[in-house]
């Protein structure tokens, strides 16, 4: 069985946000799958997805600090500045982290580690709501 749908995440401030539950609330079909894979793809070039620590919020704060250090704003060699000083760094961060995650599904639930969750990595100062394509395959 295959299911594909587009969902929206509410607008988030710049930073790393745990969105696992927000995604699962929009996926009532998940309990119908005994075994399968869930792919989550973000339809944006200035935000990304990753999987990491879901318990301690300081991990997400440290992620933001790290990526701001590695990919700073206002570098004199940047050419793409049409949408503000956060735009090109947002594209670079999104390419580093990636636009999709794939998770195993077992017995109608995500089969991830107890401390793992899906992050929306919002790299823009004013990114707005974000669209995700959810593809669920299995039986």
């Amino acid at each position: 069985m295959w299911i594909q749908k587009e969902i929206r995440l509410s607008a988030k401030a710049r930073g790393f946000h745990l969105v696992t539950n927000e995604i699962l609330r929009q996926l009532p079909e998940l309990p119908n799958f005994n075994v399968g894979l869930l792919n989550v793809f973000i339809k944006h070039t200035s935000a990304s997805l990753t999987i990491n620590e879901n318990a301690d919020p300081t991990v997400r704060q440290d992620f933001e600090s790290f990526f701001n250090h590695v990919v700073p704003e206002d570098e004199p060699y940047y050419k793409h500045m049409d949408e503000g000083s956060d735009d090109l760094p947002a594209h670079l961060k999104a390419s580093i982290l990636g636009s999709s995650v794939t998770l195993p599904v077992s017995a109608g639930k995500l089969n991830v580690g107890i401390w793992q969750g899906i992050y929306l990595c919002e790299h823009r100062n004013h990114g707005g709501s974000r669209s995700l394509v959810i593809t669920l395959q299995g039986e």
Side-chain angles (χ1 to χ4, degrees), residues 69-132:
H69 176 75
V70 171
V71 186
E73 293 183 15
D74 298 315
E75 288 296 327
Y77 52 86
Y78 290 165
K79 305 264 188 272
H80 180 74
M81 300 289 286
D82 295 344
E83 296 178 39
S85 63
D86 66 330
D87 189 38
L88 181 65
H91 294 311
L92 294 171
K93 293 171 188 176
S95 287
I96 291 167
L97 284 159
S99 57
S100 68
V101 293
T102 301
L103 302 101
V105 174
S106 301
K109 298 178 183 175
L110 297 181
N111 190 351
V112 296
I114 192 164
W115 305 116
Q116 290 181 308
I118 304 169
Y119 288 9
L120 167 68
C121 315
E122 179 55 70
H123 306 302
R124 295 300 308 268
N125 293 330
H126 307 287
S129 66
R130 297 300 191 171
S131 295
L132 304 179

